[in-house]
Amino acid sequence: MSKPVVFLALFAALTVAGCGASDPDEKPGDATTAAGNDGGCANVEAPRPKPDGGETKPTDELDPAKTNTVTFTTNCGNFTVTLDVDAAPTTAASFAALARSGFYDDTLFHRIVPGFVIQGGDPTGTGTGGPGYQTIDEPPSDAKYTRGVVSMAKAADEPPGTSGSQFYVVTAADAGLPPEYAIIGAVTDGMDVVERIEALGTPSEEPSRPVVVRKATFRAK
């Protein structure tokens, strides 16, 4: 699949081609306590790229009666996403399964567009990788991509709501995106960390230095 271009050049940040840490409560990625901080983020080396694909599409669903969350431990601190199981049941379950399997561990936020989004979830770190399968949860026609919303990236030629593993967190007040991207939830804790990550964005959309997901932890309560 060729690398896609979405809508306008600005929306390229949302495109995608191709289909063991300590207890997170101990906050190993808390940038306020890590050595070698710079701008609130610990200075770290980029992890080695992980293999593209190879994951099995999950069949288990999440319990919508529970609060389902994924906490990302990064070298800039921790932030938590509360999943919207009703809005995107298949994609939210996939996101949770990838977190449980360690798929997101030691991956990068490979694209940062200040005032728009931060994007991660690619095992290869190139913007072209994924889990090896897709899900579809088409968003409603009135979907809004506002600050803190977490949605899935897709190729321009794929149907609305198509998802792999790449996701983005909206940092704009309103990103003004069309209702094309599956909405899986919102950041409910640690938006200041998301903003800290956003501050590492550059005009090229590549971060000025590595932002690493050390651990993604799923919980259901």
Side-chain angles (χ1 to χ4, degrees):
M1 184 184 298
S2 60
K3 189 171 183 178
V5 177
V6 169
F7 204 59
L8 297 173
L10 179 63
F11 297 158
L14 309 184
T15 65
V16 52
C19 304
S22 58
D23 189 319
D25 288 340
E26 297 175 9
K27 298 187 178 181
D30 190 341
T32 62
T33 58
N37 289 352
D38 183 6
C41 296
N43 292 317
V44 296
E45 293 185 359
R48 292 182 179 180
K50 300 171 76 171
D52 187 24
E55 297 294 310
T56 300
K57 187 175 181 177
T59 57
D60 293 339
E61 298 181 352
L62 298 179
D63 185 350
K66 294 184 177 180
T67 299
N68 298 277
T69 64
V70 175
T71 297
F72 289 90
T73 301
T74 80
N75 58 302
C76 293
N78 301 346
F79 68 91
T80 297
V81 177
T82 298
L83 301 178
D84 189 339
V85 179
D86 291 327
T90 304
T91 307
S94 170
F95 194 76
L98 292 173
R100 282 195 299 259
S101 72
F103 182 89
Y104 289 125
D105 299 355
D106 298 315
T107 60
L108 293 165
F109 278 95
H110 62 275
R111 182 170 281 173
I112 300 174
V113 188
F116 190 46
V117 301
I118 64 172
Q119 183 172 336
D122 176 7
T124 71
T126 64
T128 64
Y133 65 83
Q134 293 180 327
T135 62
I136 297 181
D137 279 306
E138 185 172 354
S141 60
D142 61 350
K144 300 294 184 183
Y145 301 88
T146 53
R147 183 177 181 271
V149 163
V150 181
S151 294
M152 304 301 290
K154 75 175 190 70
D157 59 353
E158 292 172 336
T162 301
S163 305
S165 60
Q166 293 191 43
F167 65 94
Y168 62 91
V169 182
V170 177
T171 59
D174 186 342
L177 291 165
E180 293 274 325
Y181 309 96
I183 296 176
I184 60 168
V187 174
T188 51
D189 187 46
M191 194 63 193
D192 59 321
V193 173
V194 173
E195 293 171 347
R196 196 176 297 156
I197 294 170
E198 179 190 27
L200 299 180
T202 66
S204 69
E205 301 182 2
E206 295 183 3
S208 58
R209 49 198 175 83
V211 179
V212 179
V213 175
R214 293 173 168 170
K215 181 72 175 174
T217 305
F218 171 74
R219 290 189 177 92
K221 298 181 180 179

